[in-house]
Amino acid sequence: MTTLLIFAVIVLAFLVVMRLHRVSDLAAALRGEREELIPEKDNRTSGRLMWVIGAIYLVFFTWVPIHFKSVFLPPPASTQGVWIDAMYHFNWIMLGIVFYATNIALFYFSGKYFHRPGKKAFWYPHNNRLELLWTAIPAMVLIVVIIYGLSVWNKITAAPAPGTMAVEVYAKQFDWTIRYPGKDKQLGATDFRLINGDNPLGIVTGNSVKTRLAELQADLEKAEADLVAQAEVQPQDQLAKMEEHISHIRRQREGIMNLETLMKEDIAVNGGNSTYLHGADDQVTKEFHLPQNVDVELLIRSQDVIHSAYLPHMRAQMNAVPGMVTRIHLVPTITTDSMREVTNNPEFDYILLCNKVCGISHYNMQMPLTVEKPGAFKVWTILLPTFENRAKADEPAPADTVKTQVAAEAKADSTTTEMKQH
Amino acid sequence: MSAVANTQAAHSGQHHADLHHHKESFISKYIFSHDHKMISKQFLITAIVMAWVAMIMSVIFRLQIAWPGESFAFTHFFLGEKWAPGGVLSSSMYLALVTIHGTIMVFFVLTGGLSGTFSNLLIPYQVGARDMASGFINMLSFWFFLAASIIMLSSLFVESGPASGGWTVYPPLSALPQAIPGSGTGMTLWLFSMVLFVAGSLMGSLNYIVTIMNLRTKGMKMTRLPLTIWAFLLTAILGVLAFPVLVSAVALLIMDRMMGTSFYLSEIHIAGEALDHMGGSPILYQHLFWFLGHPEVYIVILPAFGISSEVISTMSRKPIFGYRAMIGSLMAISFLSFIVWAHHMFISGMNPFLGSVFVFTTVLIAIPSAVKVFNYITTLWRGNIIFSPAMLFSIGMVSTFIAGGLTGIILANSALDIQVHDTYFVIAHFHMVMGVSAIFAMFAGIYHWFPKMYGRMMSTKLGYLHFWVTFICAYGVFIPMHYVGLAGGPRRYYNYTEFPMFNGGVADLNVIISIFAIIGATAQILFTYNFFRSIFSGQKAVQNPWHANTLEWTTPWSISMATGLVRSLPFTVGLTITASPVSWKTTCPRTCPWKTAKRSIKQRRNLMGMSALLCGHFRLYPPMRPALIVFMLCWLPAKAQLLDSLALFAEQTPRFVLKLDSRGSFISNSNVSIMGVKAGLEYAGRFQYGLGYSFLWSPVEKPRTVDGVAAVSTTLRLGYFTPYVEYAFYQRGPWEARIPVQFGIGSGSLVYRDAKDRKQRTARSFLLLYEPSMTIQYRFLKYFGANAGWGYRLLLVRTGLDERLSAPTYVLGLKVFFGDLWKDLNK
Ligand code: HEM
Ligand SMILES: [Cu+2]
Ligand SMILES: [Cu+2]
């Protein structure tokens, strides 16, 4: 309501200005004046205003970041974040100098050289040496900027060492799903046609293929029965749609059957190394944890439209593109707990958010990220149900068996984890 | 000299206006006008209306961002209960508003409005031409623009809402109505509107180019053109090269939406269903879009540069500092703008190495930009500055351009872009550098040339107030916005309430931004009022109020030379463009209108004659050529997809292919055929490259004078090696669409038989040809393929062969897949 009022007041103010202007015009016309286009007075005022407003502008520009320091992100929580922030500092300093210098010159000259009667402008059409100078200097500075920038970019996008832990980040309208590779440390193959309520990522295993085929078979039978039943009652175009639907299901089924053949061949050739055998122990979850100081590669996929996995605190971002796997390679360096202390905010959480418009709930497609000590991370992952056992995991497991299992595995794995630590 | 010219022109202008007044109906004068001045006013007023629509949208969504979930009568008034239940903007309408706001501002206000208004107004005046090369095309360009505007606005009223995937309309979001309601009918209208818009803008651009190149008055050398004209020329060239690519991107998107193709779609599971689309790439769309999109931002800013250069030099009573450097930097910017597009895609998932290349080219573009800024400042230095409102806006433009240009360097560094891509930092960058700068230049142009358009002055007092309020608000809005972006605040978010990290300072910043935005928007009432009031009751202007020395001020405002004279028939439209180089050279038309009139009548007869002639040779109808070139350019970037798939193809084992290649074509009006053989390697059935040899098969004979002997029958010989690449960008069942592109490197000669019947050569020349084409192939009976297609052969070097070698080509052929045959025979 108050805003509406403010708004009304502003509009009214403008209306008043216009009326006044009209009156002064009429008055001038009555007096029979025909004033000069730009009177001396106006030139002087405008010149002074150039100085005043120019100065206010530069002050405002300096004031905002100082006053709103609180909006800046906390220190970078990944190795690449440290590089990027250092690079920001370098660039801000370079650009800051240019910014103040050019703006001061611009406003100072415009304010200083306003028209005065009898004054003549200085005839100065060009000066090749000067122009060469201010082409060459920016060129040299920018070459430095490019070289520095590309060296950091190359470091960030360098391929990870073989054996780096892979974690899948899967986007769909409007949430994220995470997949950990499980015991075999390898993510299994996926296919978008296998996606159903039970298999949100379309992981390929012998069972998931079989269930999906059965499901499609049932769909098909139902659709065909529908068509027969409705053949008399429905109009022609409706029937055509139903037929199209049937052939759509057939195509899906065909695709999956091809996949099945492929899978069998691959397993026959590669045996235990077949990517189709890695899916069963993958762990699909709605929580996102990463170990501290461990190299991880996030493999990013999307189910429907383009999303973007943005981790502002890690200074990391990559689009999730349907039909493609994209990657972020990073090393988280600060645990959530330490960051809570640093920011003095017990509620603090790292966040994974979607940064590419993806539909009406785009603004709330987020997931907190917990960075923890590798040991704690290990414990947490082991407790996750695997893809193949997810149904069983719903039943409460006897507490002590889990505990012993966790302890055993944590011990077995601690050696390997340490080796990978930085 | 100018005084004499003025009085003379004033007389004839007066005379002229009288002469034609009674002949012109209201409709031909104000509506279907061919007169560049009227068309420029039509563009301007349409743009002002569109700008208001887009600005009100921005106020509505700024209200929502600053005070999320609060009810506003303002919002409710414009959107009604459906889109703003209880006065609270709905989330789907929020996205629709930002999308349409962006589209209207970028295309309709800053492209159509800015270039349309000032190119039309100033080009004929400042180069000293009677009017545009074709008044009729000019009129059409406005009508296409208007139709596009109306369709764009009408999309606001469709049931499922207007397009809402952002002004860049990335698929799959924009391709699938399941993904967002705005991708239904609203999106269809958006695409349709853009096609019309591009058509209109191409007509405008071709016209501007032809006029500048051919209708300059005597003595108006390219090196004497005002910087405005240079800027408009380069803008038009950018438009002609870039816009067709948008059309092709849009065409492919339309096919994906309506015909089930998969250019941009692959492996999608949405709304509980797996789609059939396979094999496309959403990144292809981004390449195509930004191949237009980046030049597009320069299409916006170059005219702004032109206008501010002119205003700054006039009002500081100095020549612009470094005229040639200014032209050079305009050219450098135009050129570079075509090789930086992928800086919008650093984190799209494209190859990081490609990213590095684009970092390099993008940062380079800051050099000519810096040169321009330094030159502006030096022009002001020791000037004698008269602060008209136009001058204030021009200085403001330089200032905002500095701020935006510098953040551009941050974004150009891919490593830094990781952090701020798609955040409010980018929004702040492009609003400073493009939005505010270009709008300021547009205001400057309006205040400056208003006396030329309407013969009256706008009020300077209101102008001052308008400038200072707008200037302060522009900074008040966009400086804080940078920090929202640096805080990680994503763009296109309906609200931030779901994120604790954005609830403190960021929320405060958002309130500040919105308050400034509302004041700034309201201040535009001052301008609008000033503009419309001054049309009718502004102070009467003298002929050259700003004491400028460009040509437009040497005639009184009312002079109306062209109206009523140029009435070309529709079918001569295309012709005027191509025919103009020969026949439309005019000399100083302003001072001798009777001569122009006579010439124009003579010319009409010429054009009729020529068109009759051409109908006889329909195949070579000249306007086809620019059209073809433009169309071919559409297909070139389709190859951008290659960049992303090459690596995959290289993993496959290639197959050897051997081809007999016969193409039909034209050489200087006669139909010829060219034979060739080609050998190459094919990867994955999609990508092929190799080498061939082609030669002219059919005889091309012509009597020529050889060694002083007239009418010796000579024959043309052509033979050239053809390195080629070929890419099948679409495969479905037996159908396949391919883009073969080949280069020709070889030689041509003219041969005759001398008195002793020995073969002799008279001319011999090196040949370099570029031959893009597109073919559709249908495969049948397993071993055969019928294919047909067309393309264009461009001669890239000058030859002394006295034959026109650049011409359309067509391919009709039968392919035999020997490879498969061989395999099956050996089974
Ligand atoms: C100094 C020269 C410039 C450089 C180095 C530069 C660089 C960039 C970069 C790298 C981006 C992509 C940022 C991202 O999406 O993450 C960008 C965005 C943009 N730039 Fe610039 N730019 C420059 C000048 C301009 C100019 C002169 C204009 C317009 C007249 C402009 C208009 C835009 C627009 C509209 C976008 C955002 C498009 C979108 O995502 O909606 N830029 N710029
Ligand atoms: Cu999203
Ligand atoms: Cu760009």
Side-chain angles (χ1 to χ4, degrees), chain B residues 59-73:
Chain B
V59 171
I60 295 175
F61 60 70
R62 273 320 310 183
L63 285 174
Q64 159 65 22
I65 298 176
W67 298 281
E70 266 180 55
S71 166
F72 292 97

Side-chain angles (χ1 to χ4, degrees), chain B residues 167 290 297-298 301 343-344 362 365-366 369 401 405 408-409 411-412 417 421-422 426 429-430 433-434 491:
Chain B
W167 76 281
W290 288 115
V297 303
Y298 284 93
I301 202 68
H343 63 215
H344 298 269
T362 304
I365 216 169
S369 312
F401 187 76
I409 298 176
L411 296 173
D417 189 53
H421 173 73
D422 261 335
V426 175
H429 156 70
F430 73 76
V433 77
M434 166 165 92
R491 70 197 280 197

Side-chain angles (χ1 to χ4, degrees), chain A residues 31-282:
Chain A
R31 285 197 303 275
E33 278 175 16
R34 196 193 148 92
E35 50 181 318
E36 217 186 311
L37 268 182
I38 310 290
E40 292 315 317
K41 187 169 65 67
D42 285 2
N43 270 327
R44 176 174 298 273
T45 327
S46 302
R48 292 291 172 261
L49 275 175
M50 274 289 160
W51 281 356
V52 175
I53 307 267
I56 294 180
Y57 163 45
L58 294 183
V59 170
F60 179 66
F61 179 83
T62 321
W63 173 79
V64 176
I66 295 174
H67 183 81
F68 286 93
K69 237 192 292 176
S70 68
V71 309
F72 289 115
L73 291 167
S78 68
T79 41
Q80 76 171 31
V82 175
W83 305 329
I84 290 178
D85 273 26
M87 192 173 153
Y88 262 107
H89 286 147
F90 172 77
N91 276 275
W92 283 135
I93 291 169
M94 303 275 267
L95 300 179
I97 295 170
V98 182
F99 175 82
Y100 284 105
T102 43
N103 266 306
I104 288 172
L106 178 71
F107 286 108
Y108 179 70
F109 292 157
S110 348
K112 178 153 185 228
Y113 297 108
F114 64 85
H115 172 80
R116 297 169 183 90
K119 195 180 111 181
K120 273 211 148 172
F122 175 54
W123 169 262
Y124 194 45
H126 69 103
N127 177 342
N128 288 346
R129 221 191 273 160
L130 205 57
E131 284 162 63
L132 194 65
L133 191 73
W134 65 45
T135 313
I137 291 181
M140 275 164 351
V141 172
L142 290 173
I143 294 292
V144 176
V145 168
I146 294 176
I147 291 173
Y148 183 15
L150 287 185
S151 69
V152 174
W153 173 247
N154 287 342
K155 264 202 289 188
I156 293 172
T157 56
T164 302
M165 172 171 140
V167 176
E168 180 168 89
V169 175
Y170 188 74
K172 73 172 211 302
Q173 288 179 334
F174 297 97
D175 57 25
W176 300 97
T177 310
I178 309 293
R179 175 160 66 123
Y180 293 95
K183 250 190 259 167
D184 62 3
K185 300 193 170 27
Q186 304 234 19
L187 291 165
T190 57
D191 189 292
F192 73 112
R193 282 169 292 220
L194 294 181
I195 294 174
N196 63 14
D198 230 20
N199 186 2
L201 268 47
I203 297 173
V204 186
T205 62
N207 283 339
S208 71
V209 168
K210 245 181 247 126
T211 352
R212 185 75 187 124
L213 277 177
E215 237 174 55
L216 283 174
Q217 186 61 36
D219 283 356
L220 191 60
E221 275 159 20
K222 183 164 164 298
E224 278 169 346
D226 266 3
L227 184 64
V228 174
Q230 306 272 318
E232 307 287 288
V233 264
Q234 293 283 2
Q236 203 55 47
D237 56 336
Q238 201 58 37
L239 292 179
K241 257 190 215 157
M242 292 169 81
E243 273 167 19
E244 173 50 32
H245 181 62
I246 291 177
S247 49
H248 170 75
I249 300 178
R250 287 228 172 88
R251 284 195 294 270
Q252 297 291 315
R253 201 178 52 164
E254 210 176 299
I256 298 177
M257 276 158 28
N258 284 344
L259 175 72
E260 201 178 17
T261 335
L262 243 156
M263 177 167 113
K264 283 186 183 137
E265 282 174 11
D266 195 73
I267 292 176
V269 175
N270 294 324
N273 281 335
S274 166
T275 136
Y276 296 102
L277 295 178
H278 295 311
D281 70 340
D282 287 358

